[in-house]
Amino acid sequence: MDQTLGYLRETLSNYTDDHSGGKNIYRKLMEGQYSSEGEFVRQLDQKEIIFLNKMLPKEIKYAKEEKDEKRAHELNEVFELLF
């Protein structure tokens, strides 16, 4: 699995209990064989994109606050592809 998608998977694991879309995205990520974050993002529907657009900025901010620049960078890679 692509390293960026690994960070995304780990982050999404915190959102699998709610019904806002995190569980579906996590499942899609676990079941798919994506070679890159671009390939994964192209498979998302509009509802999933909206969910990630809301969730990722919070997670990127948190990673920066925790001085985890690598995680912040990798999550930002996905966030930029959503546009």
Side-chain angles (χ1 to χ4, degrees), residues 9 16 24-25 31-32 38 41 44-45 47 50 53 57 59 62 76 79 83:
R9 180 188 67 207
T16 58
N24 292 335
I25 300 169
E31 293 174 356
V41 168
L44 298 174
D45 64 30
K47 184 177 178 182
I50 290 168
N53 273 328
E59 292 295 331
Y62 178 76
N76 193 60
F79 184 62
F83 296 103

Side-chain angles (χ1 to χ4, degrees), residues 24-37:
N24 292 335
I25 300 169
Y26 182 82
R27 186 176 333 121
K28 186 179 281 190
L29 186 57
M30 293 301 295
E31 293 174 356
Q33 298 295 320
Y34 305 103
S35 60
S36 70
E37 61 271 16

Side-chain angles (χ1 to χ4, degrees), residues 3 6 8-9 11 16-17 19 21-22 25-27 35 44 50 52 62 64 66 68 72-73 75 77-78 82:
Q3 184 176 10
L8 180 61
R9 180 188 67 207
T11 300
T16 58
D17 290 340
H19 300 290
I25 300 169
Y26 182 82
R27 186 176 333 121
S35 60
L44 298 174
I50 290 168
L52 289 175
Y62 178 76
K64 288 180 179 179
E66 294 298 314
D68 192 345
H73 173 75
L75 293 176
E77 290 289 315
V78 175
L82 296 174

